[in-house]
Amino acid sequence: MPRLLAQIAAVTAINVKSMPQRAWLSASTVVAVALVVAVLLSFLAMANGFEQTLRGTGSPEVAVLLRGGAGVEINSSISRDQVRLVEEAPGIARGADGRPLVSAELYVTVDGRKRAGGSKANVTLRGMGPEGAAIRPGFRIVGGRMAQPGSAELMVGQSLVREFAGFDLGSRVRIANADWTVVGVFDMGGSVFESELWADIATVQSLFRRTNVFQSIRVRLDAPDRLPALRAYLDADPRLKLDAKSEVAYFADQASSTITLIRFLGWPLAIAMAVGALAGALNTMYSAVAARAQEIATLRCLGFGGIPSFVGTLIESLLLALLGGLLGAAVTWAAFDGVTASTLGSGFTQVVFAFRLSPVLVFQGVVLALVVGLLGGLFPAWRAAHVPIVRAYGNG
Amino acid sequence: MTAPDLIRLSGVAKRFTKAGQGITIFDHLDMGIGRGDFVAIMGPSGSGKTTLLNLLGGIDQPTGGEIWFDGARIDRLPEGRLADWRANNVGFIFQFYNLMPTLTALRNVELPLLLTPLGRAERRQRAEIALRIVGLSDRLGHYPREMSGGQQQRVAIARAIVSDPKMLLCDEPTGDLDRGTADEILRMLQLLNREMGKTIVMVTHDPEAARYAGRILHLDKGRFVENELAGARVS
Ligand SMILES: Nc1ncnc2c1ncn2[C@@H]1O[C@H](COP(=O)(O)OP(=O)(O)O)[C@@H](O)[C@H]1O
Ligand SMILES: [Mg+2]
């Protein structure tokens, strides 16, 4: 029906050209929708950035062992005897000195102060043996040296140095009533470990009164496919009630609960705001239809049907919403994309990550905007299609 | 009456319910308007002149009686068919011109042609011709706000004639214009009636305007009182 399309095009052009006559109202709708999309996209970009950071952390060649059912390090405890038994397990790679690459670790949280704003936040202090660095692929000292076993020396991740004050190379730090010295800065490809402080396990155990307690064992596998052999060994020994996961799976599991949390905060908040924006859109479009009633009735006199007025009004509403959606995405992009943040990560410590927008997220934001535009335009469009034709004479 | 009338009203009734109260505008109206007639309808305010024009133009329906146009009954057509009928047979001219403020004169005049199968170029050409007929060839690209009232009404006349309808319905077409401009518009309507054979029904309360018509109908209390003005046509 080409004539119908021509009518719709003409009515839409008339509507769109008349938008400046309601500039403030139209602009307020655009801004309201933009706000909704910006809020949604900030949350989704946060979840996305967090996910990318945690996914980038795991190595398939590293297995993480925790007490059975513990799920995360903070819930786990492992004895020194168990550590010794694990050192005998099959599938574990050996270092240059022939010792198995097994790192029994304990972490505690300590206070840190943000460079920006100076606010306090928890920082992970991880105690580990000399194998701790060796089992982690991608570990690289970028300043200073490794910490000495048995000393109160700290190595700090690059992200931590950037975000927190007082951990620069050579700094003296007071933790657990002891004086520590930062002797090394390391890079681990932007993973969560870069947000940690590393120290000697024995020093951490004694200063925090957790002698002979470990939380996790990390082992370097001969090859990623050696994990089943390690699991079989753990299952066969009743003294080893430990779960073994590849580090990739471990972080993916942790990320998924946090990411789900962020998303489950973001969507309801955005939808609640969308209801507000919807009220604005309805108001704008009802005003637009009221202002145009005589024009619409005149077109009907000329022989135009109701459908062009309906579709024209709907398109105007969708257009306002689309503008709002794109504005919201642009604002989020400009304000947040690539901005680093630190948030509560696994075990209530700070994980430094960057907000990451992606085309899929922008698409989701624009879809939400268009839903607002569609609902906000539907009822006014219905009214436009049913303007009494006698309104062409004015008041009527 | 030799040729059959273009429009025939027989026993037309129109009642409104307003705030739960019924008002009868017409009870039983009979009338014929011949092809090529120029009829002025006068009467006191509220006598139902606009209502009558709405019935003739198929934008309102009578509550009783029959309305015939060119041998076909139009008062019971469904809205879709009625819209097509309006597009093909009626040109509307309003007191306040009713132009689209965001469209140029040319685009305004082109609007009714969007309902025809004509292509873009031909639509444009016809709209230009219509604007030439009303003497606005030099105003194609102007917006309504850039034109005087008289010029806007001429654009409206061009829009009313561009699809070559048989009948023009004008509601107080000069009600918003000064005497000189009003006379210009009325002469133009007269020309369209005489040279192009348009049947015109014009509502006015201005006796000067009514004199341009060939026939004056006075509407009062739901009844017509006819006044043939033989020889009174202004030339
Ligand atoms: N849609 C309507 N609903 C109710 N009453 C109406 C409606 N349209 C017109 N009327 C009433 O019908 C009467 C005639 O109106 P109208 O035809 O506009 O008169 P005129 O054009 O002669 O001044 C008036 O009393 C008016 O209030
Ligand atoms: Mg009237």
Side-chain angles (χ1 to χ4, degrees):
Chain A
M1 247 230 240
R3 286 194 301 169
L4 186 59
L5 286 182
Q7 290 179 52
I8 289 171
V11 172
T12 304
I14 290 170
N15 292 359
V16 169
K17 283 183 188 164
S18 73
M19 273 159 65
Q21 291 166 10
R22 293 174 303 283
W24 281 110
L25 212 50
S26 303
S28 69
T29 303
V30 169
V31 168
V33 172
L35 221 57
V36 170
V37 171
V39 165
L40 178 68
L41 289 185
S42 329
F43 272 96
L44 296 184
M46 187 193 283
N48 191 38
F50 189 69
E51 184 170 29
Q52 282 187 14
T53 301
L54 286 194
R55 287 211 194 291
T57 294
S59 161
E61 287 165 31
V62 174
V64 181
L65 280 62
L66 300 175
R67 192 185 67 201
V72 290
E73 287 182 87
I74 199 160
N75 295 336
S76 171
S77 80
I78 295 172
S79 68
R80 184 170 294 281
D81 291 339
Q82 288 176 313
V83 175
R84 276 198 206 98
L85 287 168
V86 168
E87 283 172 349
E88 312 286 309
I92 297 178
R94 287 178 185 273
D97 56 2
R99 286 180 47 78
L101 291 177
V102 172
S103 169
E105 304 182 355
L106 167 69
Y107 91 68
V108 293
T109 56
V110 300
D111 284 343
R113 210 160 30 74
K114 292 279 188 73
R115 282 189 194 274
S119 61
K120 273 185 155 188
N122 288 341
V123 171
T124 295
L125 169 59
R126 182 180 294 276
M128 56 169 68
E131 297 83 6
I135 61 154
R136 287 174 165 83
F139 171 88
R140 198 161 58 88
I141 283 279
V142 291
R145 56 170 175 81
M146 301 283 288
Q148 294 292 328
S151 71
E153 291 179 345
L154 291 170
M155 291 194 291
V156 297
Q158 277 193 127
S159 300
L160 187 90
V161 178
R162 268 197 303 275
E163 292 287 315
F164 286 84
F167 294 109
D168 302 280
L169 189 58
S171 303
R172 298 181 73 74
V173 185
R174 184 119 186 120
I175 295 173
N177 294 320
D179 286 320
W180 303 69
T181 312
V182 177
V183 298
V185 176
F186 64 88
D187 170 293
M188 262 199 73
S191 75
V192 287
F193 296 116
E194 269 192 33
S195 307
E196 294 184 345
L197 299 169
W198 286 358
D200 176 67
I201 178 74
T203 311
V204 172
Q205 282 172 330
S206 73
L207 282 177
F208 285 85
R209 300 184 212 293
R210 312 271 299 267
T211 315
N212 284 332
V213 176
F214 304 87
Q215 287 168 327
S216 65
I217 304 174
R218 280 177 160 77
V219 306
R220 179 81 170 256
L221 297 168
D222 285 334
D225 62 7
R226 297 286 278 149
L227 183 61
L230 175 61
R231 278 198 181 128
Y233 173 82
L234 298 175
D235 288 346
D237 189 331
R239 290 166 294 175
L240 292 175
K241 290 202 182 324
L242 303 178
D243 289 338
K245 270 184 197 171
S246 93
E247 200 182 40
V248 175
Y250 174 74
F251 281 115
D253 286 354
Q254 288 205 357
S256 71
S257 60
T258 307
I259 287 158
T260 307
L261 178 72
I262 297 173
R263 287 191 181 128
F264 271 73
L265 285 175
W267 274 104
L269 185 61
I271 286 170
M273 289 179 63
V275 172
L278 177 60
L282 277 171
N283 180 31
T284 303
M285 294 316 297
Y286 273 128
S287 306
V289 170
R292 276 204 300 271
Q294 192 175 8
E295 285 178 19
I296 292 168
T298 301
L299 288 169
R300 299 295 299 278
C301 280
L302 301 182
F304 280 64
I307 294 173
S309 292
F310 182 87
V311 177
T313 304
L314 209 52
I315 289 177
E316 180 183 343
S317 177
L318 287 171
L319 209 62
L320 288 175
L322 181 66
L323 277 176
L326 295 178
L327 180 67
V331 165
T332 315
W333 182 276
F336 287 131
D337 191 59
V339 168
T340 57
S342 49
T343 191
L344 288 175
S346 53
F348 312 106
T349 51
Q350 295 279 322
V351 174
V352 177
F353 66 96
F355 283 70
R356 283 272 169 256
L357 268 185
S358 72
V360 175
L361 299 187
V362 170
F363 176 77
Q364 289 179 12
V366 168
V367 166
L368 178 65
L370 290 179
V371 168
V372 170
L374 185 72
L375 294 179
L378 215 51
F379 298 101
W382 179 262
R383 183 174 289 181
H386 292 86
V387 166
I389 309 178
V390 293
R391 285 290 295 278
Y393 292 98
N395 39 24
Chain B
M1 230 171 278
T2 47
D5 289 337
L6 181 66
I7 307 166
R8 200 60 268 136
L9 269 60
S10 76
V12 165
K14 182 66 184 175
R15 287 175 207 95
F16 288 115
T17 13
K18 207 175 193 174
Q21 213 176 321
I23 17 169
T24 301
I25 313 298
F26 316 119
D27 190 20
H28 189 93
L29 210 53
D30 291 311
M31 176 184 79
I33 293 173
R35 281 164 209 282
D37 275 4
F38 186 168
V39 179
I41 296 178
M42 301 190 72
S45 180
S47 57
K49 306 182 295 294
T50 298
T51 303
L52 175 63
L53 222 48
N54 289 344
L55 294 176
L56 295 178
I59 64 179
D60 199 359
Q61 295 192 319
T63 44
E66 298 177 0
I67 301 175
W68 294 75
F69 181 92
D70 210 5
R73 203 174 151 181
I74 61 155
D75 58 281
R76 287 289 173 265
L77 289 177
E79 174 47 34
R81 299 268 305 281
L82 211 50
D84 290 343
W85 174 82
R86 284 196 299 270
N88 291 324
N89 295 290
V90 193
F92 290 89
I93 296 164
F94 304 91
Q95 179 175 357
F96 298 105
Y97 332 124
N98 289 25
L99 300 175
M100 304 296 142
T102 54
L103 300 184
T104 61
L106 190 67
R107 288 278 178 208
N108 265 289
V109 174
E110 194 191 340
L111 277 177
L113 299 178
L114 295 174
L115 303 169
T116 67
L118 296 177
R120 204 183 170 78
E122 196 162 357
R123 289 201 303 260
R124 195 190 152 91
Q125 194 188 356
R126 290 202 188 187
E128 280 182 21
I129 292 170
L131 280 164
R132 195 183 311 147
I133 290 173
V134 298
L136 289 177
S137 294
D138 54 341
R139 296 277 175 166
L140 305 183
H142 288 228
Y143 288 90
R145 64 172 179 278
E146 300 167 340
M147 290 185 273
S148 70
Q151 286 167 334
Q152 291 186 55
Q153 193 60 300
R154 284 196 272 163
V155 174
I157 292 173
R159 181 179 68 186
I161 62 172
V162 72
S163 48
D164 200 22
K166 296 187 184 71
M167 173 169 74
L168 301 182
L169 299 178
C170 322
D171 195 6
E172 307 272 10
T174 58
D176 200 40
L177 302 174
D178 63 58
R179 183 79 262 149
T181 313
D183 284 331
E184 255 175 51
I185 295 295
L186 290 161
R187 268 197 295 278
M188 192 166 286
L189 291 176
Q190 202 171 49
L191 204 71
L192 292 171
N193 171 246
R194 288 181 183 169
E195 305 295 322
M196 300 176 73
K198 301 293 177 204
T199 302
I200 301 181
V201 182
M202 174 178 75
V203 164
T204 183
H205 62 261
D206 173 14
E208 292 290 314
R211 292 176 62 217
Y212 284 83
R215 191 180 157 198
I216 301 178
L217 295 171
H218 282 275
L219 192 58
D220 200 2
K221 299 189 180 71
R223 292 268 173 273
F224 278 128
V225 191
E226 185 138 2
N227 250 23
E228 286 285 354
L229 288 183
R233 294 188 180 189
V234 181
S235 38

